[in-house]
């Protein structure tokens, strides 16, 4: 039996999760778990459960929740685990082995870790500790000051552990890993000076001086604007150390061989990315030239040519073209791990390639960009990004156009960029053959569109996103597919909580689950729903859920200005042939969205072979899902869209214009 406080309040036995009931009952359990093996007075429970004056029957309500919790725990076999919820007069005691509580295990692991004295041992301990977190602490409890204070205290402990893990990586010389782990936390906690100071040091030690200094100036501005204070000792200390180390390293940087258009040693120093040479400056060793500066997480492409600031050619050798990290990115741990395995596999001697595929609005771009930012330090020679516009409103981006942008970013003079895509592709592969470079190709329509853009060097890696599976890349280029599915209830509710605030979702968790279902678990739809609720702060979640039950209004409500589910689906359907679009429209008439090839053929009036081929193409485009052999499903939102399009134009999916098909970050 496991008790979870580090995320949604939960109790699990084996693989099953016990049903804990409403927010106040979960809150009673959380308060008892925060004080395990200690009597908790009934009055303390009442004061914590009601932020305002408690009702006259508050004691009865709490006693009822305790009684139901006791029964639930008993049904889960609590006695076998040494768990007992006992009554002591007007107080309650949750007796249990404390190691069953994730927050207790987290604290023990952090205590055992010694990042400075034993960093090699500290890293796995701290990683295991942080892996216990499944979201914001105490999710699902009431929004009273006692619970807010407890959640804040747990979050402080988490951030302290993140900082300790960054120090442990730094002590091992793994500064890229340190920067990656500190970066995400710093973006979400931009005023935490110790965290920013650690990130600055890690960035500097990977050769990203301008990034490190920009973080200092950005944080200084935020402290002044929001708190009216100057940076504290830790932040100033990191800034001054970097300035001193930069001054001491000028001679060596001048002697370093710059990277130019014709290749050569990249500006970030040796490609191995290992520990830098000793310099006589023990605090912050310098590795060489700088890349582009990041402004609050958004990457600014490095300039090229004689007008570039800083170290000139060194900036051209390390372009940073990634878009800013996705806001409120949650979950997808399995897919991020799969990407790491696919894109860091050097055993084949080939350039790793991964394809992130899934339906419109499922968050493919967000997943790829999040991974790219987390692992940017592993690619010191730069990160390239391009939107291939495969499912946009206009024409897809021709390879020659993308290659020109890439070559210019890598420092090639405009007059030396070849005019043909074939020659430009050859020059691109030649330039990056020995570099450690990441290429992100977003929104691809076909394998043929992608192939000219693939780097050839064994130290490069490429991640492609598409609504199509791109089976051709799997067949000819050994691409590793990483599929993205819709979010489950827990992840979907967590996304709503991140957008709206956990307290608003905790008011009605049943309505949150209902919204996830009505949005088909699509992040794009959930974000549009959150935008509707943000614009209507007095609406409860149940009110929007009731409105979404009207199928005639659902797609309109799941739109937010220039983005929405209908616009994203329109771009997918626009790429279909007339026959395939007509079949999709026929499938939309099914009552439950489930059918086989024979039923689909009858609906569309096609023969069996023609129907099977069309179903395969729709499945490849993630407009239907082959749930099992000859069992196809179509999502509710896709059904509604196909019906609307057919009703408006008489030909499914062939009318209207879209907004570019936002990929549901």
């Amino acid at each position: 039996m496991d008790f979870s406080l580090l995320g949604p309040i939960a109790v699990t036995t084996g693989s099953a999760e016990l049903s804990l009931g409403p927010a106040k009952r979960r809150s009673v359990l959380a308060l008892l778990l925060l004080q395990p093996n200690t009597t908790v007075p009934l009055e303390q429970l009442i004061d914590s459960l009601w932020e305002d004056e408690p009702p006259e029957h508050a004691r009865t309500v709490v006693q009822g929740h305790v009684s139901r919790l006791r029964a639930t725990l008993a049904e889960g076999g609590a006695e076998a685990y040494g768990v007992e919820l006992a009554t002591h007069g007007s107080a309650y005691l949750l007796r249990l082995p404390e190691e069953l509580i994730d927050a207790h295990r987290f604290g023990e692991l952090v205590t055992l870790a010694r990042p400075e004295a034993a960093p090699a041992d500290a890293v796995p301990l701290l990683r295991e500790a942080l892996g216990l977190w499944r979201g914001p602490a105490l999710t699902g409890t009431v929004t009273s000051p006692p619970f807010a204070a407890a959640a804040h205290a747990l979050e402080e402990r988490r951030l302290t552990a993140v900082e300790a893990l960054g120090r442990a990586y730094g002590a091992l010389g793994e500064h890229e890993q340190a920067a990656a782990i500190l970066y995400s936390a710093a973006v979400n906690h931009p005023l935490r000076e110790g965290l920013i100071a650690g990130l600055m040091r890690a960035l500097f030690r990977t050769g990203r001086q301008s990034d490190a200094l920009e973080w200092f100036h950005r944080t200084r501005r935020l402290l002044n604007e929001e708190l009216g204070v100057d940076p504290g000792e830790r932040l100033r200390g990191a800034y001054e150390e970097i300035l001193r180390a930069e001054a001491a390293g000028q001679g060596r940087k001048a002697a370093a061989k710059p990277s130019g258009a014709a290749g050569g040693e990249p500006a970030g120093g040796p490609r191995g990315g290992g520990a830098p040479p000793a310099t006589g400056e023990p605090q912050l060793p310098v590795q060489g030239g700088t890349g582009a500066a990041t402004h609050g997480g958004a990457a600014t492409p490095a300039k090229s040519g004689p007008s570039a600031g800083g170290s000139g050619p060194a900036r051209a050798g390390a372009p940073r073209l990634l878009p800013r990290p996705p806001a409120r990115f949650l979950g997808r741990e399995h897919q991020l791990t799969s990407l790491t395995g696919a894109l860091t596999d050097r055993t084949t001697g080939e350039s790793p390639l991964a394809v992130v595929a899934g339906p419109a609005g499922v968050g493919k771009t967000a997943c790829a960009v999040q991974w790219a930012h987390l692992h940017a330090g592993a690619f010191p020679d730069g990160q390239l990004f391009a939107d291939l516009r495969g499912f946009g409103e206009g024409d897809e981006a021709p390879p020659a156009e993308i290659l020109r942008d890439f070559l210019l970013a890598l420092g090639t003079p405009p007059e030396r960029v070849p005019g043909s895509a074939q020659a430009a592709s050859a020059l691109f592969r030649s330039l990056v053959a020995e570099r450690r470079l990441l290429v992100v190709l977003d929104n691809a329509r076909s394998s043929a569109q992608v192939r000219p853009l693939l780097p050839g060097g064994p130290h490069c890696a490429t991640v492609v996103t598409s609504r199509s599976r791109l089976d051709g890349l799997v067949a000819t280029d050994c691409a590793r597919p990483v599929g993205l599915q819709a979010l489950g209830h827990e992840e979907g509710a967590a996304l709503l909580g991140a957008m709206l605030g956990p307290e608003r979702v905790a008011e009605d968790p049943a309505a949150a689950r209902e919204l996830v279902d009505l949005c088909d678990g699509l992040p794009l739809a959930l974000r549009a729903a959150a935008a509707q609720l943000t614009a209507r702060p007095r609406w409860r979640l149940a009110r929007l859920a009731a409105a979404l039950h009207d199928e005639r209004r659902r797609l309109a409500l799941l739109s937010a200005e220039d983005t929405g589910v209908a616009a994203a689906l329109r771009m997918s359907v626009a790429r279909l042939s007339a026959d395939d679009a007509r079949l999709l429209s026929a499938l939309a008439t099914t009552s439950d969205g489930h059918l086989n090839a024979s039923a689909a053929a009858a609906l569309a009036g096609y023969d069996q072979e023609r129907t099977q081929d069309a179903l395969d193409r729709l499945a490849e485009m993630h407009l239907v899902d082959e749930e099992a052999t000859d069992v196809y499903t179509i999502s509710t939102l896709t059904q509604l869209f196909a019906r609307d399009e057919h009703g408006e134009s008489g030909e499914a999916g062939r009318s209207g214009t879209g907004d570019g098909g936002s990929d549901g970050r």
Side-chain angles (χ1 to χ4, degrees):
M1 181 170 279
D2 289 311
F3 295 84
S4 299
L5 295 173
L6 306 180
I9 303 300
V11 182
T12 55
T13 56
S15 59
E17 183 174 327
L18 302 184
S19 177
L20 296 179
K24 282 189 169 56
R25 191 174 304 157
R26 292 172 181 268
S27 302
V28 170
L29 176 61
L31 199 59
L32 295 172
L33 288 171
L34 288 168
Q35 304 172 74
N37 302 308
T38 303
T39 54
V40 180
L42 177 59
E43 292 303 322
Q44 182 182 349
L45 287 167
I46 292 174
D47 290 342
S48 300
L49 290 179
W50 282 275
E51 186 172 357
D52 301 321
E53 186 70 21
E56 293 182 3
H57 60 286
R59 296 175 66 89
T60 304
V61 171
V62 173
Q63 290 166 351
H65 285 315
V66 171
S67 177
R68 284 304 307 147
L69 283 173
R70 186 180 288 121
T72 300
L73 293 174
E75 291 167 6
E79 185 178 355
Y81 296 94
V83 178
E84 179 189 9
L85 177 50
T87 302
H88 289 266
S90 61
Y92 299 101
L93 168 68
L94 183 57
R95 187 179 291 112
L96 77 168
E98 294 187 17
E99 59 268 19
L100 298 182
I101 307 173
D102 60 357
H104 177 79
R105 298 198 301 275
F106 171 79
E108 284 195 327
L109 290 166
V110 172
T111 301
L112 289 171
R114 296 179 298 156
E116 285 79 21
D121 295 330
V123 166
L125 289 170
L126 291 167
R127 285 179 62 88
E128 182 180 351
L130 292 167
L132 295 172
W133 285 75
R134 300 178 301 114
L138 307 184
T139 297
T141 58
V142 299
T143 57
S144 66
F147 283 104
H152 177 73
L154 288 170
E155 176 65 9
E156 284 293 307
R157 291 171 61 191
R158 186 187 73 83
L159 292 174
T160 299
V162 170
E163 293 175 6
L165 180 57
R167 295 198 304 275
Y169 276 129
L172 294 172
E174 298 179 11
H175 305 302
E176 293 169 354
Q177 293 282 1
I181 192 69
L182 294 170
Y183 180 85
S184 295
V187 169
N188 292 319
H189 300 273
L191 297 179
R192 190 178 177 91
E193 295 187 51
L195 189 63
I196 307 301
L199 176 61
M200 288 170 57
R201 291 185 172 96
L203 289 171
F204 186 86
R205 287 164 176 151
T206 61
R208 297 165 64 185
Q209 293 93 324
S210 62
D211 290 5
L213 295 175
E214 175 60 24
W215 270 101
F216 171 80
H217 293 301
R218 175 178 175 272
T219 307
R220 176 174 56 80
R221 288 193 299 270
L222 284 174
L223 288 168
N224 181 264
E225 292 169 1
E226 298 194 17
L227 302 179
V229 298
D230 293 325
E233 181 179 345
R234 284 182 295 178
L235 199 59
R236 287 199 315 272
Y239 178 64
E240 291 166 1
E241 286 176 26
I242 291 172
L243 293 181
R244 288 197 301 270
E246 271 198 311
Q250 286 302 316
R252 183 180 62 265
K253 284 195 287 185
K257 182 179 178 180
S259 170
E265 189 72 70
R271 292 188 187 91
T279 67
E281 180 67 29
Q283 293 173 311
L284 290 170
V286 181
Q287 283 193 309
T290 64
T294 59
H295 300 277
T300 302
K303 298 179 181 178
S304 61
S307 62
S311 53
R315 282 181 173 266
R320 317 275 186 205
L321 303 187
L322 294 177
R324 67 185 181 88
R328 304 291 195 274
F329 185 88
L330 296 173
R332 302 300 195 193
E333 287 84 1
H334 176 71
Q335 288 80 9
L336 292 173
T337 300
S338 297
L339 279 174
T340 301
L343 296 173
T344 58
D345 181 7
R346 306 296 178 188
T347 59
T348 64
E350 300 169 342
S351 177
L353 169 62
V355 175
V356 179
V362 81
K364 302 177 291 295
T365 302
C367 185
V369 172
Q370 176 76 357
W371 188 92
H373 277 285
L374 290 175
H375 296 268
F379 301 95
D381 295 330
Q383 304 92 43
L384 300 175
F385 178 92
D387 179 4
L388 303 189
R389 306 196 299 273
F391 296 90
E393 182 177 1
D395 295 333
E396 64 186 63
E401 174 188 315
I402 303 300
L403 286 165
R404 178 176 178 82
D405 291 342
F406 283 178
L407 291 171
L408 292 175
L410 291 166
T412 305
E415 63 273 12
R416 292 186 56 191
V417 176
S420 73
Q422 184 177 5
S425 179
L427 176 59
F428 173 59
R429 290 194 301 272
S430 174
L431 284 180
V432 303
E434 298 300 326
R435 302 192 189 190
R436 294 174 61 190
L437 190 79
L438 175 65
V439 180
V440 181
L441 302 173
D442 185 40
N443 203 14
R445 180 179 179 182
S446 65
S447 299
Q449 186 188 20
V450 170
R451 288 193 183 98
L453 309 176
L454 297 177
H459 306 296
C460 297
T462 307
V463 56
V464 182
T465 75
S466 179
R467 300 181 192 182
S468 169
R469 293 196 306 257
L470 300 186
D471 293 340
L473 287 182
V474 177
T476 63
D477 297 271
C478 297
R480 296 271 292 275
V482 177
L484 239 59
Q485 305 298 327
L487 300 178
H489 286 126
E490 187 174 304
E491 284 185 317
L495 177 57
L496 287 173
M499 299 287 291
L500 300 170
E503 64 283 348
R504 197 167 176 191
V505 173
E507 287 178 356
D508 194 347
R513 291 172 64 90
E514 188 177 9
L515 281 176
V516 175
D517 288 335
L518 290 166
C519 292
D520 283 346
L522 289 178
L524 176 61
L526 287 165
R527 288 175 178 273
Q532 295 282 2
L533 289 165
T534 300
R536 300 166 176 82
R538 296 183 180 178
W539 275 31
R540 297 176 63 87
L541 271 63
R543 182 169 178 181
L544 178 60
L548 291 174
H549 274 290
D550 184 348
E551 294 186 345
R552 296 168 301 176
R553 300 179 59 207
R554 191 179 306 174
L555 288 174
L557 287 170
L558 295 180
S559 299
E561 197 175 7
D562 62 343
T563 188
V565 177
L569 285 170
R570 185 172 291 114
M571 292 304 100
S572 289
V573 174
R575 295 292 191 257
L576 299 178
S577 68
D579 284 350
D580 290 353
R582 193 174 299 114
L583 175 61
L584 183 68
S585 179
L587 301 182
T589 64
T590 60
S591 58
D592 63 353
H594 288 70
L595 74 171
N596 58 23
S598 297
L603 285 171
Y606 296 166
D607 62 53
Q608 188 83 7
E609 183 177 354
R610 180 183 177 189
T611 302
Q612 186 63 65
D613 290 344
L615 283 172
D616 290 342
R617 289 190 293 271
L618 292 177
E620 183 182 356
M621 291 284 292
H622 293 95
L623 288 166
V624 301
D625 180 44
E626 189 173 8
E627 195 173 76
T629 302
D630 198 29
V631 178
Y632 295 88
T633 63
I634 179 172
S635 71
T636 303
L637 292 179
T638 304
Q639 280 186 291
L640 295 178
F641 174 80
R643 290 174 194 167
D644 289 350
E645 289 291 286
H646 181 73
E648 291 172 8
S649 68
E651 183 180 357
R654 312 305 294 175
S655 69
T657 58
D659 67 347
S662 170
D663 207 6
R665 284 190 173 183

